[in-house]
Amino acid sequence: MKKLLLTVAAIGMGMSAASAPTAASAQEMREVDWYNISMIKWKSGKGERAHEIIEMFEKVDEALGRDDVIDFHMQTGEWHSIVAFKMKDGPAAMAWKENPYEKEWEAEFIKQVGGEDKAKALWAEFNDTILEEQRHIGHIDVGE
């Protein structure tokens, strides 16, 4: 009996879902580019070293043909740097167990710096330059 009820419920849900308009058919999606945004305060005297390491990160991006990171060096306000990383798959990128784009980036970084241990040491050093960081998700409208 329980199996029969589950089957009837599943059929009923399928029929109601099929007859209801989807979000895409009911309303057209806006064209937007999604970004993961980091707002960073550097520890005193550590900003220069942080940017030396960031230059290494930029070389990885160049090797992979990526040019979609926006790095603001702030002149006013409480943050020293605001960096926007384009989310290739939009918010869905946050659902990856292992993001293939990040894996590709990590592999190239390890190659460029001379091994996994050196890469880990550079990440640790970079993280040690950060006094405070906030992360946000935002978008840019690209089509109207």
Side-chain angles (χ1 to χ4, degrees), residues 2-140:
K2 187 175 184 181
K3 192 174 188 178
L4 177 63
L5 287 174
L6 290 174
T7 303
V8 170
I11 292 170
M13 286 191 302
M15 289 175 64
S16 62
S19 62
T22 64
S25 67
Q27 179 176 331
E28 193 173 315
M29 301 277 295
R30 293 185 306 161
E31 291 183 43
V32 298
D33 286 337
W34 288 92
Y35 287 84
N36 184 335
I37 303 160
S38 292
M39 300 165 39
I40 303 167
K41 290 181 190 176
W42 306 115
K43 290 181 181 174
S44 181
K46 298 278 189 167
E48 186 175 333
R49 179 59 180 152
H51 285 284
E52 289 171 0
I53 297 171
I54 289 169
E55 286 177 17
M56 293 179 204
F57 298 161
E58 290 170 343
K59 288 179 183 175
V60 174
D61 291 338
E62 288 173 22
L64 295 173
R66 299 179 187 178
D67 64 351
D68 51 11
V69 175
I70 304 168
D71 185 5
F72 295 94
H73 302 247
M74 302 306 294
Q75 302 303 306
T76 61
E78 65 180 288
W79 302 103
H80 299 133
S81 290
I82 298 176
V83 185
F85 302 91
K86 189 170 184 180
M87 299 169 72
K88 184 170 175 54
D89 295 324
M94 296 182 295
W96 286 100
K97 286 183 180 180
E98 288 190 12
N99 186 314
Y101 307 107
E102 289 177 11
K103 284 296 200 192
E104 180 184 36
W105 193 96
E106 288 172 13
E108 180 63 25
F109 183 61
I110 289 167
K111 177 180 150 190
Q112 285 191 21
V113 300
E116 193 170 338
D117 290 341
K118 289 182 180 179
K120 285 181 182 179
L122 280 166
W123 271 113
E125 183 180 3
F126 179 74
N127 287 330
D128 187 53
T129 65
I130 298 170
L131 175 66
E132 183 180 349
E133 180 177 23
Q134 286 186 13
R135 294 183 181 196
H136 301 277
I137 303 293
H139 75 269
I140 296 173

